[in-house]
Amino acid sequence: MNIQQSIAQAAKIIPIYWPLESMIAVNPLWDLKEMSFIKAVEHAKQFIEMRGTLSYDEYIRLYQQGSITKIDLKQAMQERISNSDLIDEYVNLLLSEQVVCYCTSSHTSDLKFRSIEFGFKNQLLEFLSGYFDSNQQGWYHETSKYPLFDNWRKYAIVENRTWGKWLQDLPEDINEMLESLLLRLKIAQDDVVPFFTWSFAQLLGWNSFIKWLETRPNNPLIQQNATLSEILLIWCCLLVQEKNFDFVFLRNQKSIRKKLSTLLPNNLQHLITPNLDIYIDELSFVWQRAYEIHQHGLLFDKINFAKKNLVLKKPSPVAQFVFCIDTRSEGIRRHLEKNGKYETFGFAGFFGSIFTLENHESDTCSLQAPALVEPSITLSITNNSKSVRTKTLQLFEKVAAVAKENILSPFAFFEMVGNMLSLPLLAKTLFPKYYDALVNNHESANKISNTFLKAEHIESAADSLFQFLKTIGLINNMAPVVVICGHGAQTENNPFQASFDCGACGGNSGAINAEVTCEILNNSHARELLTKRGVSFGPDTLFIPALHNTTTDELIIRDEYLAKIPFHHALTVDISEALAQLKLERTKDLPAIGNGNDRHINWAELIPEWGLANNMAIIIGPRRYTESLNLNRRVFLHSYDHMMDVDGTLLASILNAPVIVAHWINSQYYFSATDPDVYGSGNKAIHNVVGKIGVMEGNLSDLKIGLPTQSVFYQDRLVHQPLRLLVVIYAPRDFVNRVLNMNPNVKSLFDNNWLTLDIVEPELRNAVSA
Amino acid sequence: MFQALTCQNQQYIHGMNRSPQHKIAQAAAIILGICTLFLLFLIGSDIKISWLTLHGLPLELKFRVDYLSSVMLLVVGIIGAIVFQYASRYLLSDTSRRRFLTQVALTLASVMFFTVAGNLLTAFVGWQLIGLNLYVLLNHYHYQSAANRAAKKKFVINRIGDMCFLLAIILCFQQFGTTDYAVISQNISFDSYHSLILGLVFIAVMTKSAQFPFHIWLPDTMQAPTPVSALMHAGVINSGGILLARLSPMINQTSSVSSFIFMVGIVTLITGALFKLTQTDVKRKLAYSTMSQMGYMVLQCGLGCYSAAIFHLIAHGFYKAFLFLNAGNALHDGDKQQLLAKVSFKNTILCAVITILLITVTQQIIAAQSIPILIWTFIGISIHCFLVNLFKQKYALQYKLALVIACQLLLIGYIFALTEFELLTGLDNQQNISTKLQYILMGLFGLGYLLSIHYPVSKIQSSQFGLKMYQCFKMKLYVEPFYRRYFLMPFRSAGEQLNDVVEHRMIAKLGFFIAMLVPIAMLIRNIITGSDSVNLNLVLLVMTVALLTMANRAKSIKKMLCYLMMAQFNFVLLNLANTEENTLIKSITLFVPYAALFVGIGLLFNSRSCEKMQSNNDNKLTIWGTYLTILLFLFIGLPGTFSFCLLFELIANSTASPLNLMLILISNVMISIVVLHLLQDYVFNLKQLNIISKKISLSTHIILLTIIVANLVCGNFIQYAEIILQ
């Protein structure tokens, strides 16, 4: 194995970290997906101090609460070992005091190599944050010109004279350099991959960010380039300088793992064969599985109940709504449908249009696309109608922000302006609502230049929109009004805004995607193209973009669009009714001071909403099957009709994109809940923003990845139930299997227990209705 | 059933909303607010409370509400209210939110106590209370080692200042017989004694207001929740400025001190600003900005513009509180590219002309003679920088014109407010620094500023020298490594050596005990013969320092406590050796409280150990740990505890011999280091290595509480004890 291969092998343990502004949820163990879930967690455990499941105490608590029952445990155990004679014994052992004590008290570390605190780590952290900084440092240096290692070497030589000689003597080529360093460090050939993995694990946060840079060299968000080999080089150079460093000494003595069978009474010992055994420290996986079985069972009960009581004939809807598959859309869809006049659909929140959005005014750009796709088209947004007052204020803010960065200017400047700031300070804290009304103008008169409508792009746009309409089955029964509803969150003073926004739109608000899609669908030329492909538009079908503000639970349709709807009065009344019910439902489980109505504008708010907490499943199928259910905003809902999908391409594309995205979101929540210190980003109250990249905790720490504790915990209690994603598909079993066999990479996710599959046969429905 | 769990969670959360936690905290805040308002009505009145008589000196607490203190009260009140309201929401998901809010209220109360102080002693008491409260606040997440280390660092550095402050107070007593601001500012003499007192107070100010080279604690305080930073940078760090303003009549008379203050201010201003430039995270950037702003404030004090300094403190406080509380938005800050945009030379000159014009217009409208030329320089630089950046923007002309006019109005308003503020506070403003020097500095600063806008640092960076400079400032001029290398490491390794020797060699052990006995024997001889041996003090002090050095690196908690107690014992002996009064009574009053403390600690260790483990995330101390913490804090010498009386007498006794004085002060700083070290290792349970959790019976509770209360009573009413005994 050459060096680059070893690095690639070792780098599998590193998650991918998207810069916080466009944070996209990712499964932190994604690159270990060829292994089974348990194997992957155990592999990571060798290098990272993590658990991968809840603590044993927590499971016992859940058992006592009745959220896990003995039957679930038996079933979970059965999945693990197949001998049915021993299952009962094992489950009894599982609950015995002996095992519980063993598992709760003596937590032996599974680390294969110990991690040690190096004195140089802080300096390395400082260097990395300086290198990738693009907006904080006043003493700016153009790092994008120099690769990471060269830049580091430049500083290291200045910093420490004794280094000068040998640092410059290193070979030119990165691989040779690494090889010579490995020799110096006396790393044995077999130890190279473990050593690299260990090195990566010591600085997980920044390495995840660099891994992202490596996979996204053309991203418009960060200019610097760096590779994982370079960070390894720096790490090795630093280790060479460290006296007494010997990798071999870091190896932990393998603790003897106890098998559960050793605890069995003697008369049963003869029944045990090696494959009928389980290590005691693996029992938490059994617990986790039992927990999932229980929760899934509850969902199945609901689904089956709904299937039996399916109402087939329904009046044709007055208006149709397309929502994002996001779990939060489930609530609003349920309340809208209650009315009986509306039909809703679910599709990934980009609604068929993927692009990069440029804002020339603020010199920012965002990727309005899911993580799996790189957009090729760029749209620009301008904000042209602004009052003089806003513009002057904006100019002042801009100038003031620069003026206070100079070395000598801030002193008198603070003195001149400071006292006046007491007013916004008071207003923002005590009267956030009035402040918001006074200062922020909500007239969003954004003008988007829709490049898709240009002649050279319209064909491809029509293709992707046809795919969109066909997938959700909205081809020939369109209502006069189709509202396409993106979602976005509104938070204040919150670096984690993106984690509440639409994941399918690159951690941005989906409103712009909805708007672009509507504009194309309303365009006569595009409609012609779509009609050729088989979509039948009504004569007066109207596509209306909307925004679901998930923090305030408002559905915003702009007046100019609203005016076009003939029955807009009735529509707004119905929508606001549905929203009121949804709001009641959602505020019930949010902690708040006072009535909590200012959550979206209060700058002291750390929990603006629970986001996608408690997500557990994705349902792929026609909405009519689940329409009558209250799914508690725990389920992603993707519209899909297998009757439209003869060759299975639509299902394949759903399995390849939205299911993966849902799985990533689910795993991000899962691991942030099980390992808040490693895969969660810690306490929001002490977060400290670094550059334009992310946060660290307090004075100086590694870059923090994942979700903050305030997203999955409330005080010391878990708010999110960590369950691996359940995929429910409404389609014939053979059909699904065929599609899965054609997509081996998705199939392996199911086989490796990263996802659980459940298929609901629609044929049954015909039988019942007949 | 499907909803069962979520429902439970919901109920749990729901229940939390309605808990009275918030109400209690809010009530506390309201009471605090009412007290503030009440104080505001008392403008011009004095309140005197006689407190202690130590070493024949009548210690008196004096409170005075004048215009300066009422303005500061108002500012602290507003910032306190904001921080309180903010924190009560911010920490909603924190299990120990109530404790945090109480602590914030206590800190605010102590800042207010300090603000209304009418003499140095009262100010010192307030100063100590602020320090203690901040230590607890910074330690809010005490299970995190970084938080702990930061709090410890802050406390120890402040302790150095505190000792200087205490010495200054005692010198003041011996010189003037009182520490009343009003009295000492009338008693003006020009001797060096005077400068010494002021210099010592200024060192205390330096530690509190993060002046170079005592700034190192400030940027490390980000391990506490954001509202703490806002409170600290807006409300607490100001205390240094207030103290300087209070002493302004004295400082104005001693030019050496004011030039020293001026110099420290300039150094802090420049270093702070440069440190800030190399910072990549928003909070530490703000911390270094505070440091340089405090430098500017101290510079203003050095110039003699105390009212401007106070004005700056207030304005900076609001600004910094805003920036800290808004730190979460930093992710969306603009790009640095803007800064790099080239400034044309023509533009610079044009802006300079406009700046001079604006300033001249302002000077024509408002007569502000008291503002020295250096301050005008800084105002000019700010306006120029604003204008240069304004003209760089691609906006229509009318917006820019509007902002130039706004700038003019702002300037007039600011100068007006400044002159009015000067009248209101009635501070004695003088020009302490010669105009010539000011012109030179004006030229230097102006040049530096022009360079900074025309040659962005990225250009300098490409040279070897630039790299070196960058690295140097990124490492913060190696101040901290310097301390580590030349103070901390020798102290630690000496402690380790001593421990090794005492532990492993039998002879050394024996020698150790004999050495311990020598001072006692000498003391007994002294008492019997009545003669005073001069060397005894020195022997005892050297012993104390050695003991504390050992205690710091002792291997177990028991040894640590043992050495600490021995050191304290030596202190008592020392005081006894110097006393001229009735030795028996003195020794009883001295020994009893300490003996009680030792008994208390002994009791703690004898209580039964408890099986239950403390979970990490509770963010609560064990009862056992709490008692130990309180008992140990009684040793440190905080006003109001018995150890303060002892310390006061010790220092007052030894003012004649500088060497002894030094040793006493050093050993007292060392006591706090040892205590904090002990707490860090054994009470705050870092890394969960040494969990000590013991069950405490009711009788032990009662005894411990009695000991603590008795100590506090002793500390506050010691003269009565002596009277009763006599």
Side-chain angles (χ1 to χ4, degrees), chain A residues 199-448:
Chain A
S199 306
F200 284 141
Q202 301 305 304
L203 208 67
L204 203 64
W206 281 104
N207 284 328
S208 336
F209 171 70
I210 293 171
K211 189 171 179 182
W212 172 78
L213 273 179
E214 228 176 15
T215 49
R216 292 264 170 165
N218 300 323
N219 79 84
L221 304 169
I222 305 278
Q223 273 82 41
Q224 283 85 359
N225 280 315
T227 57
L228 286 171
S229 344
E230 282 177 284
I231 191 91
L232 262 184
L233 259 181
I234 297 177
W235 185 260
C236 290
C237 287
L238 287 166
L239 279 183
V240 168
Q241 284 298 304
E242 196 78 2
K243 288 170 215 143
N244 315 325
F245 172 75
D246 196 342
F247 187 59
V248 181
F249 284 140
L250 292 180
R251 194 187 289 273
N252 263 340
Q253 289 303 319
K254 241 204 158 34
S255 56
I256 303 140
R257 297 172 80 192
K258 223 170 164 185
K259 288 197 166 181
L260 191 59
S261 57
T262 52
L263 301 175
L264 276 179
N266 281 334
N267 55 349
L268 291 172
Q269 291 286 352
H270 65 278
L271 289 172
I272 302 158
T273 52
N275 58 349
L276 289 184
D277 213 345
I278 184 167
Y279 288 110
I280 293 185
D281 48 344
E282 276 178 20
L283 285 179
S284 51
F285 292 109
V286 176
W287 275 106
Q288 176 61 28
R289 183 66 197 130
Y291 189 26
E292 280 160 12
I293 287 171
H294 189 86
Q295 296 293 328
H296 292 170
L298 297 171
L299 183 62
F300 294 150
D301 289 349
K302 279 189 173 188
I303 287 175
N304 289 333
F305 178 76
K307 207 168 92 175
K308 274 180 206 142
N309 303 324
L310 191 63
V311 185
L312 272 181
K313 285 277 175 290
K314 286 189 76 181
S316 57
V318 181
Q320 285 159 327
F321 287 82
V322 186
F323 283 97
C324 181
I325 57 169
D326 192 281
T327 55
R328 285 165 294 182
S329 302
E330 191 271 333
I332 188 167
R333 288 176 70 176
R334 171 163 30 97
H335 287 294
L336 269 175
E337 284 158 354
K338 249 187 217 162
N339 200 304
K341 290 193 280 188
Y342 307 108
E343 193 180 1
T344 67
F345 299 90
F347 190 80
F350 58 88
F351 305 118
S353 39
I354 289 169
F355 50 89
T356 310
L357 187 71
E358 270 182 358
N359 187 341
H360 290 297
E361 214 168 310
S362 57
D363 282 329
T364 52
C365 69
S366 55
L367 296 171
Q368 299 277 344
L372 295 158
V373 205
E374 233 173 296
S376 54
I377 289 177
T378 306
L379 268 60
S380 64
I381 185 168
T382 43
N383 199 334
N384 41 16
S385 71
K386 264 192 197 156
S387 62
V388 178
R389 187 183 63 123
T390 353
K391 252 190 154 172
T392 322
L393 259 179
Q394 205 178 24
L395 181 62
F396 179 78
E397 271 174 25
K398 238 178 175 177
V399 177
V402 187
K404 75 174 168 40
E405 293 294 324
N406 188 278
I407 308 184
L408 290 170
S409 73
F411 304 106
F413 183 73
F414 268 46
E415 213 167 309
M416 278 188 261
V417 186
N419 283 323
M420 279 187 279
L421 271 177
S422 60
L423 293 176
L425 199 57
L426 274 169
K428 274 189 103 162
T429 320
L430 303 176
F431 315 105
K433 276 198 173 158
Y434 297 107
Y435 179 81
D436 184 64
L438 202 70
V439 176
N440 302 344
N441 65 329
H442 295 296
E443 34 168 305
S444 54
N446 295 330
K447 188 88 194 85
I448 298 166

Side-chain angles (χ1 to χ4, degrees), chain A residues 637-656:
Chain A
L637 292 174
H638 201 295
S639 295
Y640 168 72
D641 195 345
H642 79 278
M643 308 290 253
M644 305 277 236
D645 187 23
V646 186
D647 55 350
T649 44
L650 292 181
L651 183 61
S653 68
I654 291 175
L655 286 174
N656 272 310

Side-chain angles (χ1 to χ4, degrees), chain B residues 281-301:
Chain B
D281 58 301
V282 61
K283 282 185 179 175
R284 275 190 301 169
K285 200 170 137 190
L286 289 176
Y288 283 113
S289 152
T290 301
M291 176 187 163
S292 65
Q293 297 277 357
M294 285 300 119
Y296 184 64
M297 183 273 292
V298 166
L299 176 143
Q300 283 175 321
C301 287

